[in-house]
């Protein structure tokens, strides 16, 4: 019964500590003093970082006698030994590397660690224990905590190669936030976006990370106990390198994406890259990528692959890379998707390499097949789930959280030493500010042992990350999960950005291309197929998205001092884009149906009386075509603002061009209907709906039917 009571009194915490016992709260109304008796430089940094958070929460740093006292101690100090003895606690061997104890007594908080990391993580937990007391003043939630991580390496793999290139300032913000939730690895992913002195062509100025910025980030991350592991693709995913004539001969295929293993220049290029990376990033690891080498065997290595097999050629090249980089004295990580398909060959890999198994969907039967080939061969493994942000208007957190939960739990059971939660920007439109929900759940899952409770996380997230005591931010996240689920039920996977850009009238067309400039589309008919599926759920989809918008606005109104405002702006943008996705299909239907009705009424004496009015409703001021123009215009502005809060201007125009294209499409269609209006005024005739570009009217099941005009 006592354990249940303690559990029910746990405050919101991410990650949840292993051991928690509630105690009386400590008032911070008179401020707090932070003391570091050992004077260790790392512990002083942890104290300064904690003090900054207290100030941001409106708590004075004070030496007054009435102030609460916060001590940062090592377990080797006499005072700490005495406290631990009195509490019958210890930081055993398992807990010593990064574990900590937080104790409250009277007006004092004690943070005890064996290492600098332990003290720092205890201070991060203390930040989350600050709350508003019953009288309105800030308090520290009283507790007795002992905690340590389940996994040694808890990381984020951040795609910097498919569009967004963050500013150094935003990367520093990422580092601070990662550290606050006990993430200790950051892995920037490079294809052609790291600048190399030895190979300067692929890293575009303004669209890549300079060595100076990289070194600055490494120095910034060190006191936050974050190791930066650069990932440079060394086999596949190198299209934007191989398009340069200088490297064309190294490609498996012309203008392809895979290096040809048989080319001596391939290993030379890899060695040059990683020698520079090793001089910039002092981490004990380098990540060579080597995933999705689908073109291998289709070009320069075709005869060798036919003779020896794909797996043998692949594994031999990884071994050659390992040998070439041996003088750097770094352990190499590689993606595990290719080699896992030839388990008999996996034991031939150098055994100090680390296989990073990746899979981004929930797997009800478990993730063992992604891990078994490596664990059975005696290789160390890390697991790489994903936040499911790619190609979506907002991350699909139902799939994402279940994938993270299951894969990391299975990794722990299999002895994996690390987790590398992934963010990908396949569409070039991803905003990292949208991803914090999945990133923080990955932090919890890799710190906490076993299966991390999704429901508990969803109850804690808003309070911990944003300081929201209303629960409305958590409700908003669930509303967006419901929107994804609704589209899945409709047969559309989830809220894909492909649907956002798709032209609803595309019956022979390929989206917004409108290649003939007439308001007509020319392509696949995808727009009408998607319209038929989204039509039955569009109203509920909008209600889910608008509920999220309303909840965020209500939470902000209840507490203007909510934290992480840019991330709240990202929720707002994601909800608006999902809402507009459905609105676009609804409105396109209304325009099409409205014009068909007008066209059919032109010979009816009664109907003719309001044709001019009805056409104006479609294409006049504040008409439906303008509604679509205005919606795309507003979202373009909101998206651009948020992009520039985290990223460099590079690549943004590739996204805003799509907004511009959509805006122009509906402006042209409005102009065509306006021209029809003028024709009616002058000649009392109208163009056919087909001449306007309007598709055939849907039949009862939502599919297009033949025109009867």
């Amino acid at each position: 019964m006592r354990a249940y009571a303690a559990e029910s009194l746990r405050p919101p915490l991410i990650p949840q500590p292993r051991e928690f016992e509630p105690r009386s709260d400590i008032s911070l109304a008179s401020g707090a003093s932070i003391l570091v008796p050992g004077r260790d430089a790392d512990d002083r940094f942890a104290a300064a970082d904690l003090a900054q958070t207290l100030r941001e929460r409106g708590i004075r740093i004070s030496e007054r006698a009435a102030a609460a006292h916060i001590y940062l101690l090592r377990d080797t100090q006499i005072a700490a030994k005495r406290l631990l003895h009195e509490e019958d606690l210890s930081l055993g061997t398992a807990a010593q590397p990064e574990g900590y104890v937080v104790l409250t007594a009277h007006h004092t908080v004690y943070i005890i660690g064996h290492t600098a990391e332990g003290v720092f993580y205890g201070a991060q937990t203390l930040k989350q224990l600050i709350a508003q007391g019953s009288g309105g003043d800030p308090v520290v939630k009283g507790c007795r905590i002992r905690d340590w991580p389940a996994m040694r390496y808890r990381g984020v793999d951040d795609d910097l190669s498919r569009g967004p290139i963050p500013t150094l300032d935003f990367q520093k913000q990422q580092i601070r936030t990662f550290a606050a939730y006990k993430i200790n690895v950051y892995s920037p992913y490079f294809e052609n976006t790291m600048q190399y002195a030895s190979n300067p062509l692929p890293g575009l100025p303004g669209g890549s990370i300079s060595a100076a910025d990289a070194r600055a980030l490494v120095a910034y991350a060190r006191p936050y106990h974050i190791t930066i592991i650069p990932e440079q693709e060394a086999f596949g995913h190198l299209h934007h390198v191989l398009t340069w004539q200088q490297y064309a001969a190294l490609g498996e295929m012309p203008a392809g994406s895979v290096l040809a293993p048989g080319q001596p220049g391939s290993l030379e290029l890899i060695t040059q890259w990683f020698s520079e990376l090793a001089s910039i990033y002092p981490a004990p690891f380098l990540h060579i990528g080597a995933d999705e080498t689908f073109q291998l065997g289709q070009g320069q290595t075709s005869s060798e692959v036919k003779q020896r097999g794909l797996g043998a050629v692949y594994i031999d090249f990884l071994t050659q890379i390992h040998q070439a980089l041996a003088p750097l004295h770094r352990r190499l990580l590689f993606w595990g998707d290719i080699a896992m398909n030839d388990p008999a060959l996996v034991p031939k890999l150098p055994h100090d390499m680390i296989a990073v198994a990746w899979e981004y969907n929930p797997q009800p039967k478990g993730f063992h097949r992604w891990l078994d080939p490596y664990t059975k061969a005696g290789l160390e493994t890390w697991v790489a789930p994903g936040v499911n942000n790619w190609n979506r208007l907002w991350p699909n957190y139902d799939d994402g959280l279940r994938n993270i939960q299951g894969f990391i739990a299975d990794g722990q059971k299999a002895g994996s030493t690390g987790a590398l939660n992934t963010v990908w920007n396949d569409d070039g439109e991803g905003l990292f500010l949208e991803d914090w929900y999945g990133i923080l759940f990955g932090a919890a899952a890799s710190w906490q042992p076993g299966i991390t409770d999704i429901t508990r996380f969803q109850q804690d997230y808003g309070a911990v990350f944003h300081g929201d005591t209303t629960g409305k931010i958590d409700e908003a996240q669930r509303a967006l999960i419901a929107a994804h689920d609704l589209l899945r039920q409709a047969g559309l996977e989830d809220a894909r950005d492909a649907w956002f850009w798709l032209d609803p009238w595309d019956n022979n067309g390929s989206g917004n291309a409108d290649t003939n400039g007439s308001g007509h589309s020319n392509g696949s008919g995808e727009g009408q197929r998607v319209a038929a599926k989204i039509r039955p759920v569009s109203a509920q989809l909008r209600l889910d998205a608008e509920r999220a918008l309303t909840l965020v606005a209500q939470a902000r109104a209840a507490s203007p001092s909510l934290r992480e405002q840019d991330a709240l702006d990202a929720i707002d943008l994601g909800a608006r884009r999902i809402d507009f996705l459905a609105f676009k299909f609804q409105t396109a239907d209304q325009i099409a149906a409205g014009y068909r009705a007008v066209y059919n009424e032109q010979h009816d004496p009664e109907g003719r009386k309001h044709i001019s009015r009805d056409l104006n409703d479609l294409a006049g001021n504040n008409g439906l075509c303008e509604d679509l123009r205005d919606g795309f215009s507003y979202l373009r502005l909101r998206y651009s603002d948020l992009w520039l809060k985290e990223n460099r201007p590079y690549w943004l125009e590739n996204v805003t061009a799509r907004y511009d294209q959509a805006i122009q499409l509906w402006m042209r269609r409005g102009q065509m209907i306006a021209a029809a209006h003028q024709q009616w005024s002058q000649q009392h005739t109208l163009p056919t709906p087909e001449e306007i570009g309007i598709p055939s009217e849907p039949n009862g099941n939502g599919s297009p039917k033949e025109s009867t005009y």
Side-chain angles (χ1 to χ4, degrees), residues 13 15-16 119 146 264 334 358 382 395 421 429 446 547 592 620 680:
L13 293 168
Q16 282 288 334
V119 171
R146 189 170 71 124
F334 69 98
W358 65 270
W382 291 12
N421 199 8
E429 300 178 24
S446 53
R547 176 165 169 74
W680 173 256

Side-chain angles (χ1 to χ4, degrees), residues 658-679:
R658 304 191 76 174
Y659 282 100
D660 294 338
Q661 191 178 43
I663 292 164
Q664 291 297 323
L665 176 64
W666 290 103
M667 287 179 65
R668 284 194 298 273
R669 287 176 171 165
Q671 290 163 1
M672 292 181 71
I673 296 174
H677 190 180
Q678 186 175 18
Q679 179 178 321

Side-chain angles (χ1 to χ4, degrees), residues 96 108 124 218 226 276 295 315 341 346 365 384 414 476 650 666:
Q96 282 184 353
T108 307
Q124 304 315 302
V218 167
I226 289 183
E276 289 194 44
Q295 293 173 350
I315 286 177
N341 295 314
V346 168
K365 295 183 179 180
Y650 169 78
W666 290 103

Side-chain angles (χ1 to χ4, degrees), residues 191-192 202 232 238-245 247-248 269 273:
E191 293 176 3
N192 66 306
Q232 170 61 61
L238 292 172
H239 175 73
H240 291 295
V241 173
L242 297 174
T243 52
W244 291 91
Q245 191 62 46
Y247 307 105
L269 178 63
W273 280 342

Side-chain angles (χ1 to χ4, degrees), residues 284-322:
F285 306 103
L286 293 168
H287 196 326
I288 63 171
D291 61 316
E292 298 185 328
T293 54
F294 301 132
Q295 293 173 350
L296 186 64
Q298 297 180 25
Q300 295 198 58
T301 63
S302 60
S303 60
E304 186 180 7
V305 167
K306 286 178 184 177
Q307 180 182 358
R308 302 178 54 226
L310 187 68
V313 174
Y314 175 87
I315 286 177
D316 279 358
F317 192 51
L318 258 61
T319 302
Q320 292 169 29
I321 294 172
H322 178 271

Side-chain angles (χ1 to χ4, degrees), residues 26-33 54 58-64 66-70 107 138:
I26 294 176
S27 174
L28 297 174
S30 298
S33 64
L54 294 178
I59 299 165
R60 292 191 303 275
I61 302 302
S62 171
E63 299 298 330
R64 294 173 55 192
H69 302 300
I70 302 170
H107 298 290

Side-chain angles (χ1 to χ4, degrees), residues 327-404:
L328 301 179
H329 303 292
R330 308 296 173 87
R331 295 191 67 191
L332 302 184
L333 288 82
F334 69 98
W335 295 117
D337 58 313
I338 304 299
M340 65 176 277
N341 295 314
D342 284 283
L345 298 176
V346 168
K348 294 184 178 181
L349 284 167
H351 276 48
D352 64 342
M353 295 182 78
I354 300 171
V356 184
W358 65 270
E359 166 58 29
Y360 304 141
N361 293 304
Q363 297 293 329
K365 295 183 179 180
F367 294 83
H368 307 292
R369 77 178 187 90
W370 284 269
L371 292 163
D372 285 352
Y374 301 106
T375 56
K376 289 178 180 178
L379 268 71
E380 184 176 343
T381 60
W382 291 12
V383 294
V387 302
N388 264 263
N389 67 307
W390 47 92
N391 302 323
R392 293 166 172 89
L393 297 173
W394 178 257
N396 182 338
Y397 283 128
D398 179 45
D399 280 358
L401 267 57
R402 289 188 295 119
N403 168 250
I404 294 165

Side-chain angles (χ1 to χ4, degrees), residues 95-302:
Q96 282 184 353
E98 297 177 283
Y100 64 90
V101 166
V102 176
L103 299 170
T104 60
H106 306 296
H107 298 290
T108 307
V109 181
Y110 301 98
I111 298 169
I112 304 170
H114 183 73
T115 63
E117 290 89 341
V119 171
F120 181 84
Y121 293 140
Q124 304 315 302
T125 296
L126 179 59
K127 292 178 183 179
Q128 297 183 30
L129 291 166
I130 297 167
Q132 189 178 59
S134 57
D137 290 326
V139 299
V140 171
K141 303 299 292 183
C143 62
R144 179 183 188 267
I145 290 174
R146 189 170 71 124
D147 193 20
W148 66 93
M151 304 185 86
R152 173 68 184 90
Y153 302 106
R154 308 170 299 279
V156 175
D157 187 282
D158 189 7
D159 181 2
L160 306 190
S161 290
R162 295 184 176 92
I165 304 291
T167 63
L168 179 58
D169 282 346
F170 186 75
Q171 287 186 300
K172 289 179 177 179
Q173 178 185 331
Q174 288 177 300
I175 293 296
R176 294 192 298 271
T177 310
F178 294 155
Y181 298 95
K182 305 179 179 66
I183 290 169
N184 64 356
V185 168
Y186 173 56
S187 184
Y189 169 85
F190 303 122
E191 293 176 3
N192 66 306
T193 49
M194 181 71 204
Q195 295 176 20
Y196 296 107
S198 59
N199 293 273
L201 293 179
L204 301 177
S208 55
I209 302 297
S210 70
D213 278 0
R215 287 191 174 95
L217 191 66
V218 167
Y220 189 83
R222 193 208 66 77
Y224 288 97
H225 306 288
I226 289 183
T227 298
I228 301 182
I229 302 175
E231 178 187 347
Q232 170 61 61
E233 282 286 359
F235 201 162
H237 287 291
L238 292 172
H239 175 73
H240 291 295
V241 173
L242 297 174
T243 52
W244 291 91
Q245 191 62 46
Q246 178 175 324
Y247 307 105
L250 305 183
E252 174 74 14
M253 301 174 66
S257 60
V258 174
L259 282 179
Q263 289 294 318
S266 295
L267 277 176
E268 180 182 354
L269 178 63
I270 292 166
T271 303
Q272 289 170 347
W273 280 342
F274 283 90
S275 295
E276 289 194 44
L277 289 174
S279 71
I280 296 168
Y281 299 94
F285 306 103
L286 293 168
H287 196 326
I288 63 171
D291 61 316
E292 298 185 328
T293 54
F294 301 132
Q295 293 173 350
L296 186 64
Q298 297 180 25
Q300 295 198 58
T301 63
S302 60

